Amino acid sequence: MNVTIINIGDELLIGQVVNTNASTMSKLLTEAGMKVRKTMVVGDVYDDIRAAVDEAMRESDAVLVTGGLGPTKDDITKKLLCEYFNSELVENEMALQNVKRIFESRGYELTPVNRVQALVPRCCEVLNNDLGTAPCMWFGGEAVLVSLPGVPFEMEWLMRNRVIPKLQETFSTDIIINKNILVQGIGESFLSDLIEPWELSLPENVKLAYLPVAGLTKLRLTARLPHNFPLSSFHFPLKGLYELAGKYIVGEDCETLDELVHKTLIEKGLTLATAESCTGGNIARLLTAQAGASAYFKGGVVAYSNEVKESALGVKHSTLETHGAVSEETVREMAEGVRERLGADLAIATTGIAGPDGGSEEKPVGTVWIAVADKTHTEAKLLQFGANRRQQNIDRSTNQAYAMLIRLICQKD
Amino acid sequence: MNVTIINIGDELLIGQVVNTNASTMSKLLTEAGMKVRKTMVVGDVYDDIRAAVDEAMRESDAVLVTGGLGPTKDDITKKLLCEYFNSELVENEMALQNVKRIFESRGYELTPVNRVQALVPRCCEVLNNDLGTAPCMWFGGEAVLVSLPGVPFEMEWLMRNRVIPKLQETFSTDIIINKNILVQGIGESFLSDLIEPWELSLPENVKLAYLPVAGLTKLRLTARLPHNFPLSSFHFPLKGLYELAGKYIVGEDCETLDELVHKTLIEKGLTLATAESCTGGNIARLLTAQAGASAYFKGGVVAYSNEVKESALGVKHSTLETHGAVSEETVREMAEGVRERLGADLAIATTGIAGPDGGSEEKPVGTVWIAVADKTHTEAKLLQFGANRRQQNIDRSTNQAYAMLIRLICQKD
């Protein structure tokens, strides 16, 4: 089945806001086995929205519309939907109870302006929006139209919990199961050659996608199963993949390596400290952006200057003098120093030249040393990123460090 | 004049990649005084691209298309443009020289596959792509069509240096000048009331936009001037704004507060150290993501645990015992401790409960203390974010800290 997405909002057309709704919706629909044919962004202009809806309804099985449902802004979307479906606005009891519930929970009085949020076209079915006051409206028919609020976290909750299940039911779509496998330390094209025999052996209902990002390749397996398939009897055929590329696989069932590190450390009850130079705090902040990081994250040092490498991490002055700040000796002392001083089981350290300036002939921009340490070992690795791009070098160093940490932890099992 | 943007790419329709091209292009066009009417994303499917181009050309003065120009992937876009404009593919000398130049600079041999990149429809004008091998093609006529590569940094360079200037020339558009003013410490609606008299006094050719993000409001002034206006004689009328809201204005001519801090510290030759608890390294990594940060950034401590607050920052055990980790006393000692230990002129410290867990009745989730210090003063401030959203609390705390630092620096002038 084909889906068209229409995101409404002037803020999207002036570039004030990046349209993450389109990509979130596309990702969720794709993962659920539906095909997004087209996405469109139009402003808060009646005729433009109408033309987009007309076109989309002609060409798609389902049209998902976000935006234009707020209580104060000109509520063009609902009026337009009334006209399109030849219906009229009525107060919906479920939507009204939802608005009341949310206002009560926040300790606010319900005002007449807010009560307007419970008005919907008579012909629609309201899908309850547990997280907000704007209703989600389902219009059945030859092609389905669903109107959702544009607030990203409300939209995403509604997509996952209301809209996608109902689309799957309505169109009796196949069951789609996804599995992520995180692969690191091998380029995409080499990986592709290496695992080709396994890929060719995959059953026809299992598809493989390569999603490379910052030195990591996420392999996404997608299985399409008949509507009534007993899920417990399905397993992805991973044996051949592990036989061919097991040493490059760092984990499964996570979207990112920071998520994998977060889960692994919590699961194993290990603590971590970080000593970052060229990554500038990025390794720490991705971990601490996740709720529950305080269970394992002791702290970190962003050791940008040599003085700080000495005073806060205990890197020896002679090491910096002899080998320089970007060297194996320094990164090892950084990792060992921060682990000991912060009293952690494990440590990560980075030092390098992120660019665009600061390189030399011997150590060009993109030269990065990374170390991971536990109580008994320290592993260090030299990376040479050719590209003269600061953020990319930071992101790749971050992923490399996480992968080395996971490998260090898992060797110990 | 109206512009429609068409971004081509299957990767955009499966949600693998967020379509930042649409927002970057929209922002640049809007800043140049052009109106984006609609943006569309279609897959690498001939009929879908053709339908989108047909529709866009009917309804717009200019249509900008990105994607589908790579050397290996099925090069649908060029074929389609040949058919649309009833033209044929020919090797373009300028495009070929550009491909050769780029291959030489990278030390690669030019292969026949790469030579294909220099083929373009005969009727187009090639706009040279200094950063890549895919050509940018301009098709004049009643409505203009421009085809650009989809690689974000090539696209952005071409938009700024080739496409927008040529659109401005072709359509004799007005000159547009923008100015950003960063305002912090006052909510958008209060700010709007406060500066209304100034806003009402603005000349008709100057527009004001409010761009709020994470506790900061960016005011963007846009002036529209006739094509031949002498730019040196134009000044934005800011006196009234400063009279009404001067104490909330932290800076001008920057997009973000981290950029403002970066520029200000370099300009003043001051150094900085950071001590972060609830922001987890975010304050450090935004600064160090900018080239040149080593000129002022000494380093930072991510002091997530109490032990680290004591051992790495010198916060007194008795302070933590008596007042707790999230307290004015602790945040002051963190700022003073990190400044002294890392030998910096200035320091930032944060400690708080980012959520979603960890709150108490006395200190609910969203309670954050921030301090900034120089050699003689320490300023501390309590923030109470109501929302139970971790990333938002981190982002707002970060901006608050930057604003406090700027205020501390500028008092000294």
Side-chain angles (χ1 to χ4, degrees), chain A residues 5-33:
Chain A
I5 296 169
I6 302 172
N7 305 115
I8 302 170
D10 286 339
E11 72 281 8
L12 300 168
L13 289 181
I14 61 170
Q16 181 187 332
V17 173
V18 177
N19 185 13
T20 55
N21 278 358
S23 57
T24 305
M25 295 168 84
S26 296
K27 185 165 177 279
L28 294 173
L29 290 163
T30 302
E31 285 174 1

PDB file of all heavy atoms in Angstrom, chain A residues 5-33:
ATOM      1  N   ILE A   5       2.586  11.694   2.542  1.00  0.00           N
ATOM      2  CA  ILE A   5       2.630  12.501   3.759  1.00  0.00           C
ATOM      3  C   ILE A   5       2.561  13.974   3.376  1.00  0.00           C
ATOM      4  O   ILE A   5       3.272  14.415   2.472  1.00  0.00           O
ATOM      5  CB  ILE A   5       3.938  12.232   4.531  1.00  0.00           C
ATOM      6  CG1 ILE A   5       3.979  10.778   5.014  1.00  0.00           C
ATOM      7  CG2 ILE A   5       4.101  13.194   5.703  1.00  0.00           C
ATOM      8  CD1 ILE A   5       5.339  10.351   5.564  1.00  0.00           C
ATOM      9  N   ILE A   6       1.696  14.723   4.059  1.00  0.00           N
ATOM     10  CA  ILE A   6       1.638  16.177   3.855  1.00  0.00           C
ATOM     11  C   ILE A   6       1.908  16.847   5.192  1.00  0.00           C
ATOM     12  O   ILE A   6       1.165  16.640   6.151  1.00  0.00           O
ATOM     13  CB  ILE A   6       0.255  16.619   3.324  1.00  0.00           C
ATOM     14  CG1 ILE A   6      -0.077  15.905   2.008  1.00  0.00           C
ATOM     15  CG2 ILE A   6       0.212  18.135   3.130  1.00  0.00           C
ATOM     16  CD1 ILE A   6      -1.508  16.147   1.525  1.00  0.00           C
ATOM     17  N   ASN A   7       2.973  17.619   5.291  1.00  0.00           N
ATOM     18  CA  ASN A   7       3.267  18.375   6.504  1.00  0.00           C
ATOM     19  C   ASN A   7       2.932  19.834   6.250  1.00  0.00           C
ATOM     20  O   ASN A   7       3.451  20.428   5.311  1.00  0.00           O
ATOM     21  CB  ASN A   7       4.740  18.234   6.899  1.00  0.00           C
ATOM     22  CG  ASN A   7       5.168  16.784   7.052  1.00  0.00           C
ATOM     23  OD1 ASN A   7       5.994  16.285   6.296  1.00  0.00           O
ATOM     24  ND2 ASN A   7       4.596  16.080   8.000  1.00  0.00           N
ATOM     25  N   ILE A   8       2.067  20.387   7.108  1.00  0.00           N
ATOM     26  CA  ILE A   8       1.620  21.767   6.920  1.00  0.00           C
ATOM     27  C   ILE A   8       2.350  22.682   7.896  1.00  0.00           C
ATOM     28  O   ILE A   8       2.472  22.350   9.073  1.00  0.00           O
ATOM     29  CB  ILE A   8       0.104  21.882   7.190  1.00  0.00           C
ATOM     30  CG1 ILE A   8      -0.667  20.947   6.260  1.00  0.00           C
ATOM     31  CG2 ILE A   8      -0.366  23.328   7.035  1.00  0.00           C
ATOM     32  CD1 ILE A   8      -2.136  20.816   6.625  1.00  0.00           C
ATOM     33  N   GLY A   9       2.830  23.818   7.430  1.00  0.00           N
ATOM     34  CA  GLY A   9       3.421  24.780   8.360  1.00  0.00           C
ATOM     35  C   GLY A   9       4.336  25.772   7.681  1.00  0.00           C
ATOM     36  O   GLY A   9       5.319  25.380   7.052  1.00  0.00           O
ATOM     37  N   ASP A  10       4.021  27.065   7.835  1.00  0.00           N
ATOM     38  CA  ASP A  10       4.880  28.107   7.276  1.00  0.00           C
ATOM     39  C   ASP A  10       6.312  27.989   7.798  1.00  0.00           C
ATOM     40  O   ASP A  10       7.268  28.269   7.078  1.00  0.00           O
ATOM     41  CB  ASP A  10       4.347  29.498   7.657  1.00  0.00           C
ATOM     42  CG  ASP A  10       3.100  29.865   6.878  1.00  0.00           C
ATOM     43  OD1 ASP A  10       2.890  29.269   5.803  1.00  0.00           O
ATOM     44  OD2 ASP A  10       2.351  30.743   7.334  1.00  0.00           O
ATOM     45  N   GLU A  11       6.452  27.566   9.078  1.00  0.00           N
ATOM     46  CA  GLU A  11       7.791  27.502   9.685  1.00  0.00           C
ATOM     47  C   GLU A  11       8.696  26.525   8.943  1.00  0.00           C
ATOM     48  O   GLU A  11       9.914  26.635   8.984  1.00  0.00           O
ATOM     49  CB  GLU A  11       7.686  27.171  11.180  1.00  0.00           C
ATOM     50  CG  GLU A  11       7.277  25.741  11.533  1.00  0.00           C
ATOM     51  CD  GLU A  11       5.777  25.476  11.398  1.00  0.00           C
ATOM     52  OE1 GLU A  11       5.046  26.347  10.897  1.00  0.00           O
ATOM     53  OE2 GLU A  11       5.338  24.368  11.785  1.00  0.00           O
ATOM     54  N   LEU A  12       8.077  25.539   8.260  1.00  0.00           N
ATOM     55  CA  LEU A  12       8.874  24.572   7.503  1.00  0.00           C
ATOM     56  C   LEU A  12       9.339  25.154   6.175  1.00  0.00           C
ATOM     57  O   LEU A  12      10.383  24.778   5.652  1.00  0.00           O
ATOM     58  CB  LEU A  12       8.060  23.302   7.249  1.00  0.00           C
ATOM     59  CG  LEU A  12       7.584  22.554   8.499  1.00  0.00           C
ATOM     60  CD1 LEU A  12       6.559  21.501   8.131  1.00  0.00           C
ATOM     61  CD2 LEU A  12       8.760  21.938   9.223  1.00  0.00           C
ATOM     62  N   LEU A  13       8.555  26.068   5.626  1.00  0.00           N
ATOM     63  CA  LEU A  13       8.881  26.626   4.306  1.00  0.00           C
ATOM     64  C   LEU A  13       9.866  27.788   4.374  1.00  0.00           C
ATOM     65  O   LEU A  13      10.391  28.219   3.361  1.00  0.00           O
ATOM     66  CB  LEU A  13       7.607  27.083   3.595  1.00  0.00           C
ATOM     67  CG  LEU A  13       6.697  25.952   3.109  1.00  0.00           C
ATOM     68  CD1 LEU A  13       5.492  26.527   2.399  1.00  0.00           C
ATOM     69  CD2 LEU A  13       7.441  25.007   2.184  1.00  0.00           C
ATOM     70  N   ILE A  14      10.088  28.324   5.573  1.00  0.00           N
ATOM     71  CA  ILE A  14      11.106  29.374   5.679  1.00  0.00           C
ATOM     72  C   ILE A  14      12.401  28.797   6.244  1.00  0.00           C
ATOM     73  O   ILE A  14      13.351  29.524   6.503  1.00  0.00           O
ATOM     74  CB  ILE A  14      10.628  30.577   6.535  1.00  0.00           C
ATOM     75  CG1 ILE A  14      10.316  30.142   7.967  1.00  0.00           C
ATOM     76  CG2 ILE A  14       9.422  31.251   5.900  1.00  0.00           C
ATOM     77  CD1 ILE A  14      10.077  31.316   8.905  1.00  0.00           C
ATOM     78  N   GLY A  15      12.416  27.482   6.466  1.00  0.00           N
ATOM     79  CA  GLY A  15      13.650  26.845   6.916  1.00  0.00           C
ATOM     80  C   GLY A  15      13.950  27.082   8.381  1.00  0.00           C
ATOM     81  O   GLY A  15      15.051  26.821   8.849  1.00  0.00           O
ATOM     82  N   GLN A  16      12.957  27.576   9.133  1.00  0.00           N
ATOM     83  CA  GLN A  16      13.174  27.828  10.562  1.00  0.00           C
ATOM     84  C   GLN A  16      13.309  26.513  11.310  1.00  0.00           C
ATOM     85  O   GLN A  16      14.040  26.401  12.292  1.00  0.00           O
ATOM     86  CB  GLN A  16      11.977  28.635  11.092  1.00  0.00           C
ATOM     87  CG  GLN A  16      12.060  28.986  12.548  1.00  0.00           C
ATOM     88  CD  GLN A  16      10.768  29.628  13.026  1.00  0.00           C
ATOM     89  OE1 GLN A  16      10.049  30.263  12.260  1.00  0.00           O
ATOM     90  NE2 GLN A  16      10.448  29.453  14.285  1.00  0.00           N
ATOM     91  N   VAL A  17      12.558  25.519  10.845  1.00  0.00           N
ATOM     92  CA  VAL A  17      12.509  24.224  11.513  1.00  0.00           C
ATOM     93  C   VAL A  17      12.834  23.149  10.478  1.00  0.00           C
ATOM     94  O   VAL A  17      12.336  23.204   9.355  1.00  0.00           O
ATOM     95  CB  VAL A  17      11.087  23.986  12.071  1.00  0.00           C
ATOM     96  CG1 VAL A  17      10.948  22.590  12.620  1.00  0.00           C
ATOM     97  CG2 VAL A  17      10.758  25.020  13.131  1.00  0.00           C
ATOM     98  N   VAL A  18      13.682  22.192  10.845  1.00  0.00           N
ATOM     99  CA  VAL A  18      13.931  21.052   9.969  1.00  0.00           C
ATOM    100  C   VAL A  18      12.750  20.103  10.096  1.00  0.00           C
ATOM    101  O   VAL A  18      12.270  19.836  11.195  1.00  0.00           O
ATOM    102  CB  VAL A  18      15.236  20.334  10.362  1.00  0.00           C
ATOM    103  CG1 VAL A  18      15.451  19.102   9.496  1.00  0.00           C
ATOM    104  CG2 VAL A  18      16.420  21.275  10.211  1.00  0.00           C
ATOM    105  N   ASN A  19      12.263  19.621   8.968  1.00  0.00           N
ATOM    106  CA  ASN A  19      11.071  18.784   8.980  1.00  0.00           C
ATOM    107  C   ASN A  19      11.413  17.350   9.381  1.00  0.00           C
ATOM    108  O   ASN A  19      11.472  16.451   8.555  1.00  0.00           O
ATOM    109  CB  ASN A  19      10.433  18.832   7.588  1.00  0.00           C
ATOM    110  CG  ASN A  19       9.107  18.090   7.545  1.00  0.00           C
ATOM    111  OD1 ASN A  19       8.541  17.752   8.583  1.00  0.00           O
ATOM    112  ND2 ASN A  19       8.621  17.837   6.343  1.00  0.00           N
ATOM    113  N   THR A  20      11.618  17.145  10.679  1.00  0.00           N
ATOM    114  CA  THR A  20      11.906  15.789  11.153  1.00  0.00           C
ATOM    115  C   THR A  20      10.648  14.929  11.145  1.00  0.00           C
ATOM    116  O   THR A  20      10.740  13.709  11.125  1.00  0.00           O
ATOM    117  CB  THR A  20      12.476  15.802  12.584  1.00  0.00           C
ATOM    118  OG1 THR A  20      11.564  16.512  13.434  1.00  0.00           O
ATOM    119  CG2 THR A  20      13.832  16.482  12.633  1.00  0.00           C
ATOM    120  N   ASN A  21       9.461  15.567  11.150  1.00  0.00           N
ATOM    121  CA  ASN A  21       8.230  14.767  11.113  1.00  0.00           C
ATOM    122  C   ASN A  21       8.195  13.868   9.885  1.00  0.00           C
ATOM    123  O   ASN A  21       7.811  12.700   9.972  1.00  0.00           O
ATOM    124  CB  ASN A  21       6.994  15.682  11.114  1.00  0.00           C
ATOM    125  CG  ASN A  21       6.629  16.141  12.527  1.00  0.00           C
ATOM    126  OD1 ASN A  21       7.266  15.746  13.499  1.00  0.00           O
ATOM    127  ND2 ASN A  21       5.606  16.964  12.642  1.00  0.00           N
ATOM    128  N   ALA A  22       8.588  14.404   8.725  1.00  0.00           N
ATOM    129  CA  ALA A  22       8.543  13.593   7.500  1.00  0.00           C
ATOM    130  C   ALA A  22       9.442  12.375   7.632  1.00  0.00           C
ATOM    131  O   ALA A  22       9.048  11.263   7.266  1.00  0.00           O
ATOM    132  CB  ALA A  22       8.961  14.435   6.293  1.00  0.00           C
ATOM    133  N   SER A  23      10.644  12.559   8.181  1.00  0.00           N
ATOM    134  CA  SER A  23      11.542  11.405   8.253  1.00  0.00           C
ATOM    135  C   SER A  23      11.105  10.425   9.332  1.00  0.00           C
ATOM    136  O   SER A  23      11.189   9.210   9.141  1.00  0.00           O
ATOM    137  CB  SER A  23      12.995  11.851   8.447  1.00  0.00           C
ATOM    138  OG  SER A  23      13.115  12.645   9.588  1.00  0.00           O
ATOM    139  N   THR A  24      10.623  10.933  10.456  1.00  0.00           N
ATOM    140  CA  THR A  24      10.124  10.024  11.504  1.00  0.00           C
ATOM    141  C   THR A  24       8.958   9.195  10.982  1.00  0.00           C
ATOM    142  O   THR A  24       8.907   7.964  11.154  1.00  0.00           O
ATOM    143  CB  THR A  24       9.661  10.835  12.737  1.00  0.00           C
ATOM    144  OG1 THR A  24      10.726  11.660  13.179  1.00  0.00           O
ATOM    145  CG2 THR A  24       9.236   9.914  13.863  1.00  0.00           C
ATOM    146  N   MET A  25       8.013   9.863  10.329  1.00  0.00           N
ATOM    147  CA  MET A  25       6.842   9.146   9.813  1.00  0.00           C
ATOM    148  C   MET A  25       7.253   8.139   8.736  1.00  0.00           C
ATOM    149  O   MET A  25       6.776   7.002   8.708  1.00  0.00           O
ATOM    150  CB  MET A  25       5.825  10.148   9.248  1.00  0.00           C
ATOM    151  CG  MET A  25       5.234  11.067  10.318  1.00  0.00           C
ATOM    152  SD  MET A  25       4.313  12.457   9.602  1.00  0.00           S
ATOM    153  CE  MET A  25       2.711  11.694   9.330  1.00  0.00           C
ATOM    154  N   SER A  26       8.156   8.574   7.848  1.00  0.00           N
ATOM    155  CA  SER A  26       8.610   7.686   6.770  1.00  0.00           C
ATOM    156  C   SER A  26       9.283   6.450   7.353  1.00  0.00           C
ATOM    157  O   SER A  26       9.070   5.327   6.885  1.00  0.00           O
ATOM    158  CB  SER A  26       9.611   8.415   5.873  1.00  0.00           C
ATOM    159  OG  SER A  26       8.997   9.506   5.235  1.00  0.00           O
ATOM    160  N   LYS A  27      10.089   6.654   8.378  1.00  0.00           N
ATOM    161  CA  LYS A  27      10.810   5.544   8.999  1.00  0.00           C
ATOM    162  C   LYS A  27       9.825   4.559   9.635  1.00  0.00           C
ATOM    163  O   LYS A  27       9.919   3.350   9.422  1.00  0.00           O
ATOM    164  CB  LYS A  27      11.754   6.118  10.050  1.00  0.00           C
ATOM    165  CG  LYS A  27      12.659   5.125  10.714  1.00  0.00           C
ATOM    166  CD  LYS A  27      13.785   5.872  11.439  1.00  0.00           C
ATOM    167  CE  LYS A  27      14.678   4.910  12.190  1.00  0.00           C
ATOM    168  NZ  LYS A  27      14.115   4.502  13.480  1.00  0.00           N
ATOM    169  N   LEU A  28       8.878   5.089  10.387  1.00  0.00           N
ATOM    170  CA  LEU A  28       7.916   4.213  11.064  1.00  0.00           C
ATOM    171  C   LEU A  28       7.059   3.453  10.054  1.00  0.00           C
ATOM    172  O   LEU A  28       6.794   2.261  10.219  1.00  0.00           O
ATOM    173  CB  LEU A  28       7.022   5.035  12.009  1.00  0.00           C
ATOM    174  CG  LEU A  28       7.742   5.672  13.202  1.00  0.00           C
ATOM    175  CD1 LEU A  28       6.802   6.599  13.967  1.00  0.00           C
ATOM    176  CD2 LEU A  28       8.275   4.594  14.140  1.00  0.00           C
ATOM    177  N   LEU A  29       6.632   4.135   9.006  1.00  0.00           N
ATOM    178  CA  LEU A  29       5.800   3.478   7.988  1.00  0.00           C
ATOM    179  C   LEU A  29       6.607   2.414   7.246  1.00  0.00           C
ATOM    180  O   LEU A  29       6.116   1.308   7.000  1.00  0.00           O
ATOM    181  CB  LEU A  29       5.249   4.516   7.007  1.00  0.00           C
ATOM    182  CG  LEU A  29       4.189   5.465   7.580  1.00  0.00           C
ATOM    183  CD1 LEU A  29       4.029   6.689   6.692  1.00  0.00           C
ATOM    184  CD2 LEU A  29       2.848   4.753   7.751  1.00  0.00           C
ATOM    185  N   THR A  30       7.850   2.758   6.895  1.00  0.00           N
ATOM    186  CA  THR A  30       8.703   1.799   6.186  1.00  0.00           C
ATOM    187  C   THR A  30       8.943   0.567   7.050  1.00  0.00           C
ATOM    188  O   THR A  30       8.855  -0.566   6.586  1.00  0.00           O
ATOM    189  CB  THR A  30      10.054   2.454   5.816  1.00  0.00           C
ATOM    190  OG1 THR A  30       9.788   3.611   5.020  1.00  0.00           O
ATOM    191  CG2 THR A  30      10.930   1.495   5.021  1.00  0.00           C
ATOM    192  N   GLU A  31       9.238   0.793   8.324  1.00  0.00           N
ATOM    193  CA  GLU A  31       9.467  -0.330   9.241  1.00  0.00           C
ATOM    194  C   GLU A  31       8.223  -1.191   9.403  1.00  0.00           C
ATOM    195  O   GLU A  31       8.323  -2.368   9.736  1.00  0.00           O
ATOM    196  CB  GLU A  31       9.930   0.192  10.608  1.00  0.00           C
ATOM    197  CG  GLU A  31      11.380   0.655  10.591  1.00  0.00           C
ATOM    198  CD  GLU A  31      11.817   1.296  11.895  1.00  0.00           C
ATOM    199  OE1 GLU A  31      10.998   1.369  12.837  1.00  0.00           O
ATOM    200  OE2 GLU A  31      12.978   1.745  11.960  1.00  0.00           O
ATOM    201  N   ALA A  32       7.060  -0.576   9.185  1.00  0.00           N
ATOM    202  CA  ALA A  32       5.812  -1.340   9.297  1.00  0.00           C
ATOM    203  C   ALA A  32       5.405  -1.928   7.941  1.00  0.00           C
ATOM    204  O   ALA A  32       4.306  -2.473   7.797  1.00  0.00           O
ATOM    205  CB  ALA A  32       4.698  -0.441   9.830  1.00  0.00           C
ATOM    206  N   GLY A  33       6.295  -1.808   6.954  1.00  0.00           N
ATOM    207  CA  GLY A  33       6.057  -2.465   5.677  1.00  0.00           C
ATOM    208  C   GLY A  33       5.224  -1.670   4.691  1.00  0.00           C
ATOM    209  O   GLY A  33       4.780  -2.198   3.676  1.00  0.00           O
TER     210      GLY A  33
END
